[in-house]
């Protein structure tokens, strides 16, 4: 994790991370939060995490620990904050960043009666890291305006307390209109993976996951053949796409030369892998793929309208029923539909790697990362029997940057 070292050591007061999909913005912010939390709760774990950093040659993990200020970390996913803010706008509950930290980040995971005043007291007496991750996932301008006012109010109160507060913000460049510039952050643009970085990551990844030397050599040869293509080299510029490529060669397949085909092949590899472990994946492959497509489109469309970026459990199960009827229709089956619906639900959330549970009870459904959602949303549109490709494309262009990757 080469980008995390200067964020820990340099500790600029305000930093803005700008990078496209798959570059690792959220991974970096998750690492920062986890490392700081581990230093407080489990120094042994922090040492292991530090060993994964790409440190300068004259640095050790101990030297980093000695030079890095210990901070209480709070990581705010902005689309979840926007949803919470809108839900509580008319109620008696205090709104704002500190209230969200008290009620959701802390109160959502443990039994707590903390208030926003307790959070400000904590920040006043302890160095703190506040992460504001994913502004691009709040496309609605009104929601952004409300959030920015909340940030202004939060920082105004902190300024009166003479606090030691580091703020790390992130967004994709597409759809970012300088909203965080008012805080005068040091702006970082995350670079493409260099050839040497890709080679190092590839070697480490394959060594970790393929223990058989002959099989590993075969995978390395597939990578080498793939990287001989200019088109594949252009794809090997982000950690996500590098990982997708490595997953594909691990399954003894060649690397596609187009981005959508790369994701398409990755989905196929995941399904093929899981079908060897669970016969139900093979039985319900059509249902599962259509379900992912519909969930991808519905969540992406909802976020674009400024609504929640997750599907509640009941709504998700209703969607499973819809998929069942679309695929099976009036087909006479030797199974009990309710039982099969539950099985499809469990397969989609527990066996495949694209969807996961969110929230306190892990019952809200969302994609693990945004690029998966965008791929399946695109698949839904392109596979829809009533879609006119040219009209769909022109409509998405008119909708702006939020739909660009789709």
């Amino acid at each position: 994790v080469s980008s995390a070292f200067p964020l820990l050591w340099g500790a600029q007061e305000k930093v803005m991370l700008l990078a496209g999909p798959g570059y690792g913005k959220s991974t970096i912010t998750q690492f920062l939060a986890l490392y700081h939390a581990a230093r407080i709760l489990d120094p042994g774990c922090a040492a292991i995490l530090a060993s994964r950093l790409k440190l300068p040659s004259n640095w050790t993990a101990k030297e980093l620990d000695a030079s890095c200020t210990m901070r209480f970390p709070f990581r705010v996913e902005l689309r979840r904050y926007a949803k919470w803010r809108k839900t509580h706008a008319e109620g008696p509950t205090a709104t704002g960043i500190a209230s969200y930290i008290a009620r959701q980040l802390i109160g959502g995971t443990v039994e707590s009666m903390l208030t926003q005043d307790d959070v400000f007291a904590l920040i006043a007496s302890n160095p703190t890291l506040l992460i504001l991750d994913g502004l691009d996932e709040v496309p609605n301008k009104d929601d952004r305006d409300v959030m920015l006012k909340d940030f202004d109010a939060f920082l105004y109160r902190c300024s009166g307390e003479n606090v030691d507060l580091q703020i790390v913000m992130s967004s994709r460049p597409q759809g970012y209109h300088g909203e965080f510039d008012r805080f005068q952050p040091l702006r970082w643009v995350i670079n493409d993976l260099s050839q040497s970085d890709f080679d190092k990551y590839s070697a480490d990844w394959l060594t970790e996951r393929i223990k058989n030397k002959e099989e590993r050599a075969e995978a390395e040869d597939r990578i080498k053949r793939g990287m001989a293509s200019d088109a594949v080299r252009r794809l090997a510029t982000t950690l996500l796409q590098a990982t997708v490529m490595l997953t594909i060669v691990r399954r003894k397949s060649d690397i596609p030369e187009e981005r959508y085909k790369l994701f398409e092949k990755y989905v196929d590899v995941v399904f093929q892998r899981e079908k060897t472990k669970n016969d139900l994946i093979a039985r319900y492959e059509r249902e599962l793929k259509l379900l992912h497509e519909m969930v991808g489109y519905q969540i992406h469309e909802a976020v674009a309208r400024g609504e929640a970026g997750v599907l509640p459990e009941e709504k998700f199960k209703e969607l499973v029923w819809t998929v069942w009827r679309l695929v099976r229709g009036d087909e006479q089956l030797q199974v009990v539909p309710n039982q099969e619906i539950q099985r499809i639900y469990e397969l989609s959330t527990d066996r495949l790697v694209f969807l996961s549970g969110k929230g306190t009870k892990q019952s809200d459904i969302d994609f693990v990362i945004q690029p998966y959602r965008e791929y399946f949303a695109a698949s839904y549109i392109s596979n829809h029997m009533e879609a006119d490709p040219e009209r769909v494309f022109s409509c998405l262009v008119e909708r702006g940057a939020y739909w660009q990757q789709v």
Side-chain angles (χ1 to χ4, degrees):
V1 188
S2 55
S3 299
F5 167 72
L7 282 171
L8 289 165
W9 176 67
Q12 294 87 0
E13 184 179 334
K14 298 183 182 74
V15 176
M16 174 72 191
L17 301 176
L18 273 179
Y23 276 78
K25 300 181 298 298
S26 293
T27 301
I28 291 170
T29 63
Q30 288 166 356
F31 186 94
L32 290 172
L34 183 60
Y35 179 70
H36 278 294
R39 294 177 76 205
I40 297 168
L41 298 172
D42 187 349
C45 176
I48 294 171
L49 290 170
S51 71
R52 291 182 169 270
L53 286 165
K54 188 175 181 181
L55 297 173
S57 56
N58 58 334
W59 276 75
T60 66
K62 285 187 177 180
E63 288 172 323
L64 173 64
D65 185 68
S67 305
C68 175
T69 302
M70 190 177 294
R71 297 180 180 276
F72 275 93
F74 298 114
R75 180 172 176 270
V76 178
E77 293 180 77
L78 293 180
R79 70 186 176 98
R80 299 192 188 285
Y81 175 73
K83 173 194 171 186
W84 177 86
R85 182 68 168 78
K86 186 176 288 188
T87 303
H88 293 81
E90 304 299 328
T93 305
T95 55
I97 296 294
S99 181
Y100 179 79
I101 290 171
R103 294 178 177 275
Q104 292 296 112
L105 296 191
I106 300 173
T109 54
V110 296
E111 200 167 315
S112 166
M113 297 298 290
L114 288 178
T115 67
Q116 61 178 0
D117 290 334
D118 295 319
V119 171
F120 281 118
L122 179 82
I123 295 172
S125 56
N126 298 278
T128 304
L129 169 65
L130 175 65
I131 296 169
L132 305 173
D133 188 32
L135 182 66
D136 55 281
E137 292 208 55
V138 186
N140 185 279
K141 184 181 182 302
D142 292 337
D143 291 344
R144 287 193 183 191
D145 290 342
V146 169
M147 284 199 311
L148 289 168
K149 289 178 181 176
D150 288 349
F151 301 154
D152 286 338
F154 178 85
L155 291 177
Y156 179 77
R157 177 154 178 184
C158 286
S159 66
E161 304 282 354
N162 192 30
V163 302
D164 181 357
L165 176 66
Q166 183 188 14
I167 303 176
V168 176
M169 299 156 268
S170 79
S171 178
R172 293 182 182 182
Q174 300 88 359
Y176 178 67
H177 306 296
E179 290 88 347
F180 284 149
D181 291 355
R182 66 206 290 168
F183 307 124
Q184 299 181 313
L186 180 66
R187 184 182 289 195
W188 283 25
V189 177
I190 301 177
N191 292 328
D192 290 350
L193 275 183
S194 66
Q195 179 71 55
S196 60
D197 283 337
F198 175 85
D199 292 342
K200 176 68 166 61
Y201 178 66
S202 175
D204 290 346
W205 196 96
L206 292 173
T207 300
E208 181 70 25
R209 287 164 177 78
I210 305 179
K211 301 303 180 183
N212 183 285
K213 289 185 178 180
E214 290 183 3
E215 291 182 4
R216 187 163 67 246
E218 183 182 340
E220 289 168 348
D221 186 56
R222 287 183 184 276
I223 286 286
K224 187 176 180 180
R225 291 202 309 270
M227 292 296 281
S229 161
D230 288 340
V232 171
R233 282 200 301 274
R234 285 195 295 270
L235 289 174
T237 54
T238 74
L239 280 173
L240 173 62
Q241 287 172 194
T243 304
V244 168
M245 291 178 183
L246 291 165
T247 304
I248 289 170
V249 300
R250 185 187 181 191
R251 299 295 295 181
K252 302 183 179 181
S253 296
D254 291 327
I255 302 170
E257 296 189 354
E258 293 175 278
R259 187 166 180 261
Y260 85 92
K261 286 187 176 179
L262 183 71
F263 276 82
E264 185 177 57
K265 184 65 178 177
Y266 179 57
V267 170
D268 183 58
V269 163
V270 170
F271 270 87
Q272 293 302 323
R273 180 189 68 196
E274 292 303 321
K275 281 194 286 189
T276 64
K277 301 176 183 178
N278 192 319
D279 291 340
L280 290 174
I281 298 283
R283 183 193 302 176
Y284 295 123
E285 183 173 0
R286 281 193 305 163
E287 287 89 346
L288 288 164
K289 285 185 174 179
L290 178 57
L291 177 64
H292 279 75
E293 291 173 4
M294 293 181 74
V295 171
Y297 181 79
Q298 288 200 14
I299 291 180
H300 207 70
E301 177 74 20
V303 174
R305 294 195 305 268
E307 297 176 7
V310 296
L311 278 182
E313 185 176 28
E314 287 308 310
K315 215 166 188 178
F316 182 68
K317 286 185 175 179
E318 288 175 13
L319 206 54
V320 177
W321 267 109
T322 300
V323 167
W324 177 270
R325 295 186 190 102
L326 285 172
V327 174
R328 300 286 170 166
D330 298 325
E331 181 181 339
Q332 296 297 312
L333 301 171
Q334 302 300 314
V335 295
V336 179
N338 279 335
Q339 293 178 357
E340 303 311 293
I341 293 297
Q342 183 62 28
R343 285 175 177 169
I344 293 171
Y345 170 83
E346 291 170 356
L347 291 171
S348 61
T349 54
D350 297 340
R351 291 297 310 180
L352 299 171
V353 299
F354 308 110
L355 295 170
S356 67
K358 304 288 184 180
T360 307
K361 297 180 180 179
Q362 297 288 290
S363 57
D364 293 337
I365 304 301
D366 190 12
F367 283 88
V368 175
I369 54 174
Q370 188 174 346
Y372 290 163
R373 185 176 82 211
E374 290 166 330
Y375 168 76
F376 281 110
S379 296
Y380 174 78
I381 295 170
S382 62
N383 293 335
H384 199 288
M385 66 181 70
E386 296 179 5
D388 179 323
E390 290 187 10
R391 285 187 63 197
V392 168
F393 185 78
S394 62
C395 287
L396 293 183
V397 169
E398 289 175 7
R399 289 186 178 195
Y402 180 70
W403 288 88
Q404 180 173 340
Q405 299 300 322
V406 174

